[in-house]
Amino acid sequence: MGQEIATSRFSAADFDAFAERLREETELLASWFANDGLAAGPVTAGFELEIWLVDARRAPAPVIDPLLRRLDDPLVVPELATFNAEINCRPRPLTGTVLTDLAKDLTDVWQRCARAAATLGAETAMIGILPTVRPDDLVLDHMTPRERYRALNERILALRAGRPLVLAIDGDEPLRIERTDVMLEAAATSFQLHVKVPPRLAARAYNLSKILSAPMVAITANSPFLFGHRLWPETRIPLFEQAVAVGGSILGERVNFGFRYAKRSIMETFLANLSRYPILLPELADAPPEQLAHLRLHNGTIWRWNRPLIGFDDDGRPHIRIEHRVIPAGPTIADAIANAALYYGALQALLDEPEPIERALAFPHARANFYAAARQGLDTKIHWLRGRPEPILAVLREDLLPRAHAGLAALGIPEPERDQWLAIIAGRIANRQTGAAWQQAWVARHGPDMAGLLDAYLARQTRGAPVHEWAIEP
């Protein structure tokens, strides 16, 4: 959930001083957008993968600190709970054999994590929601001891004026639970894709990432169970939104799909950050305004499903990235990289369209599509570019998969590379089998044995075959 801070205790003067620096840095960023002050290229790809640590009983294993000490790797960092970690990759130009290179990078770090976890009596797991996680696991005793997490918890509860957080999700087996902390958020783990784009394309890439969110969440769904309840194919979506809800106006909710497309510039989102979102972490940085330390810290506490980020190239020049956050973790490394291939390829193909497709799909439809896809998975219909509801499988098979091939080709990714990774998406479409569909089918065959489900899932994850090839044994 972002960079560490030095303290969780702040005064009113801290909030005032932070707000002033945030205004100054927002104005500076606006001037960079207006005067070509941001780096233009090359297009670059990266990711973050959030993972679980589980013990021999298939329960969450709270061993993050000893794991990090054994690894001593800056690419592996803590998350909110002591049984989660985040794997990062070094960004790579989005061309050539980048997808295979990213797969090798992830495999290397994943295997090192698995070996380190084994020395602690634990295993690593990549899955949107761990089927065996219980409410008693998601408590403050299992919060990673970092000031950032302590402060976020305190500030979100303060904004709620002491009212408990309410998780209420419908589905086949509806769930309702109240909590007085944000630890429910730790039950949701994702595979977050980053793409660095030229500033002139940033607003369109942001809008198109929103449009792609519905088909992406449907074809990648991997979170159908929470606390033994069968809910949405991608239950992670309502879980994360409700777990850190501050209450009040929906315009100020920290996790959201957004309320419109960017009209002229992605700078509009940073202006919204300034005007709509109360400061959560007012830590003052001893840094010049050009480092945007306060703007970046504040932006890191607003978890849009598609989020613009400001980073810096090796030469110190600032750049803009889009973070696509809708994809759950897992089921395998092959599935994760195939998901990246679909997103990067489709995004590029849509950017290459002479007329912005935002004109063909109104924002309210894009938003409704997203929640329908999370709720119904591959069974849903969405509004697409022909102005009428269409089966999401048809949209994926007949429109987005060919676009992804074309977009990857335009990026200079050779045909064998395109075919290798997009064939996994094609197989998932043909078999109608996502991680969520496989989990639901396993439970339908074997009953609601969540530990048994996780055993079967991890055995297949270890073998590495993509999820569309997974069988359900008698």
Side-chain angles (χ1 to χ4, degrees):
M1 292 181 72
Q3 70 195 64
E4 176 60 322
I5 59 175
T7 181
S8 60
R9 302 298 177 187
F10 302 105
S11 67
D14 292 327
F15 281 92
D16 290 342
F18 189 97
E20 180 56 36
R21 296 189 191 186
L22 179 60
R23 281 191 292 272
E24 179 184 6
E25 292 172 11
T26 302
E27 291 172 0
L28 179 59
L29 179 60
S31 74
W32 290 349
F33 272 102
N35 297 294
D36 297 325
L38 292 158
V43 177
T44 305
F47 63 75
E48 304 166 30
L49 172 66
E50 298 165 344
I51 68 172
W52 291 85
L53 302 166
V54 298
D55 63 21
R57 298 176 297 110
R58 298 309 187 205
V63 295
I64 183 59
D65 277 338
L67 179 81
L68 294 177
R69 287 195 295 271
R70 279 165 169 74
L71 289 168
D72 190 25
D73 185 343
L75 294 177
V76 186
V77 298
E79 265 290 339
L80 175 61
T82 53
F83 42 73
N84 296 136
E86 179 184 281
I87 294 174
N88 294 270
C89 81
R90 294 184 175 87
R92 290 179 174 272
L94 189 49
T95 193
T97 60
V98 59
L99 297 168
T100 296
D101 295 339
L102 289 173
K104 290 177 180 177
D105 292 347
L106 179 53
T107 299
D108 176 63
V109 182
W110 174 260
Q111 291 177 345
R112 285 190 282 113
C113 287
R115 289 193 295 268
T119 68
L120 299 166
E123 291 184 51
T124 51
M126 59 176 106
I127 188 168
I129 295 175
L130 196 74
T132 54
V133 71
R134 303 169 304 165
D136 289 349
D137 297 315
L138 302 170
V139 294
L140 289 177
D141 284 348
H142 288 154
M143 177 182 280
T144 300
R146 302 291 189 273
E147 293 296 324
R148 177 185 179 86
Y149 303 136
R150 185 175 295 112
L152 284 171
N153 182 68
E154 292 172 358
R155 285 292 297 147
I156 287 171
L157 269 295
L159 288 172
R160 294 186 62 84
R163 290 175 289 117
L165 288 149
V166 178
L167 181 67
I169 307 176
D170 58 9
D172 291 345
E173 300 166 339
L175 173 66
R176 180 183 171 86
I177 188 171
E178 292 189 6
R179 300 301 290 267
T180 56
D181 56 61
V182 301
M183 288 300 292
L184 288 172
E185 188 276 328
T189 58
S190 59
F191 179 62
Q192 299 162 14
L193 295 174
H194 291 227
V195 57
K196 185 180 81 173
V197 295
R200 64 181 178 81
L201 295 177
R204 291 215 57 224
Y206 181 53
N207 293 343
L208 293 171
S209 294
K210 292 183 179 184
I211 287 171
L212 288 170
S213 292
M216 288 301 303
V217 83
I219 196 61
T220 66
N222 198 27
S223 313
F225 296 104
L226 177 61
F227 306 148
H229 293 246
R230 176 171 167 162
L231 299 165
W232 299 9
E234 198 44 44
T235 303
R236 189 178 54 91
I237 302 302
L239 170 60
F240 191 18
E241 291 190 350
Q242 297 177 36
V244 294
V246 298
S249 169
I250 191 172
L251 294 175
E253 287 299 353
R254 313 302 286 206
V255 185
N256 64 70
F257 185 76
F259 308 100
R260 61 175 177 82
Y261 296 132
K263 293 180 179 177
R264 286 176 290 277
S265 169
I266 205 167
M267 186 65 210
E268 295 160 16
T269 61
F270 294 100
L271 294 172
N273 288 357
L274 182 65
S275 63
R276 289 212 312 257
Y277 294 95
I279 294 164
L280 297 186
L281 304 178
E283 179 170 85
L284 301 175
D286 183 16
E290 290 76 16
Q291 292 186 14
L292 304 183
H294 304 86
L295 180 146
R296 296 167 73 199
L297 178 58
H298 184 56
N299 189 49
T301 67
I302 303 163
W303 301 284
R304 295 177 174 90
W305 289 115
N306 294 280
R307 178 167 64 174
L309 300 173
I310 300 295
F312 291 87
D313 289 349
D314 291 340
D315 62 4
R317 194 171 186 195
H319 66 248
I320 185 77
R321 300 198 306 278
I322 307 300
E323 183 185 36
H324 188 60
R325 301 169 53 84
V326 309
I327 303 171
T332 66
I333 290 172
D335 286 299
I337 302 304
N339 296 338
L342 178 63
Y343 169 69
Y344 290 136
L347 178 64
Q348 183 62 46
L350 292 171
L351 282 170
D352 289 340
E353 285 288 326
E355 292 294 326
I357 71 163
E358 300 94 309
R359 297 174 186 171
L361 186 70
F363 181 81
H365 285 317
R367 187 178 189 278
N369 287 347
F370 174 66
Y371 291 103
R375 184 190 299 268
Q376 300 172 34
L378 293 178
D379 293 329
T380 192
K381 290 185 175 182
I382 61 171
H383 279 84
W384 198 236
L385 306 184
R386 289 180 285 196
R388 62 176 186 270
E390 301 180 50
I392 204 164
L393 272 171
V395 170
L396 284 156
R397 181 178 55 249
E398 298 165 15
D399 187 340
L400 290 179
L401 197 54
R403 285 187 195 268
H405 275 281
L408 293 178
L411 288 164
I413 294 176
E415 185 175 1
E417 180 92 346
R418 303 194 307 267
D419 290 346
Q420 174 187 351
W421 297 107
L422 291 177
I424 294 172
I425 301 298
R428 220 181 290 164
I429 293 168
N431 293 353
R432 298 177 61 97
Q433 183 155 289
T434 60
W438 182 87
Q439 291 184 59
Q440 291 167 334
W442 192 96
V443 168
R445 174 75 60 86
H446 297 285
D449 174 7
M450 294 295 121
L453 168 62
L454 186 56
D455 268 334
Y457 180 99
L458 291 179
R460 289 159 177 77
Q461 185 171 91
T462 299
R463 291 196 289 267
V467 72
H468 73 275
E469 299 178 4
W470 292 11
I472 304 290
E473 286 83 3

